[in-house]
Amino acid sequence: MPARTRYALVAAVVLALGAALLSQLPAGTFGPRAPPPVETPELAAQGKRVLTQQCWHCHREIPLAPRVAGWDAPRAYEALGRLPELNRAMPPFRGTDADRRALAAYLAALAAGRAP
């Protein structure tokens, strides 16, 4: 096989592998990201439902307020994206992006003493 053909074949494989790896990255890793979540009472109320459905089995016994003290909605949103990094006992957040935004709004309200 000529060297030029081998190089073209290797390049095609590298491009295919790169595309496969990039497809596994979270949305927004490269390029524009969605605006950070904004805390509203309605969104915080939705976030409380997300908390009850996904987190309450542990956080019924483990208080969240001291853990999120000083957080705003963008900080909470960021933290929800990397829970196992912050605490090895935490599982990855499994909800949708809308769930994550709602929970971030609730955590921000909880941190500020405004949780519904």
Side-chain angles (χ1 to χ4, degrees):
M1 178 181 318
R4 189 175 206 163
T5 304
R6 275 195 312 265
Y7 291 138
L9 184 58
V10 168
V13 169
V14 168
L15 285 173
L17 288 173
L21 289 173
L22 285 175
S23 72
Q24 300 301 311
L25 293 174
T29 299
F30 298 102
R33 291 186 171 181
V38 176
E39 180 199 335
T40 65
E42 298 80 17
L43 195 57
Q46 290 174 12
K48 185 174 183 178
R49 286 191 291 278
V50 173
L51 176 85
T52 302
Q53 294 168 352
Q54 295 192 28
C55 314
W56 202 241
H57 59 280
C58 289
H59 284 288
R60 180 177 319 172
E61 301 294 326
I62 304 169
L64 275 171
R67 297 173 188 276
V68 299
W71 287 14
D72 59 6
R75 169 69 179 99
Y77 180 84
E78 183 271 329
L80 290 168
R82 55 189 196 95
L83 292 174
E85 293 173 40
L86 299 174
N87 182 336
R88 291 186 320 183
M90 293 287 295
F93 182 75
R94 300 272 185 227
T96 65
D97 187 63
D99 292 339
R100 184 174 162 192
R101 289 176 174 281
L103 183 53
Y106 176 76
L107 294 175
L110 183 65
R114 295 187 304 269

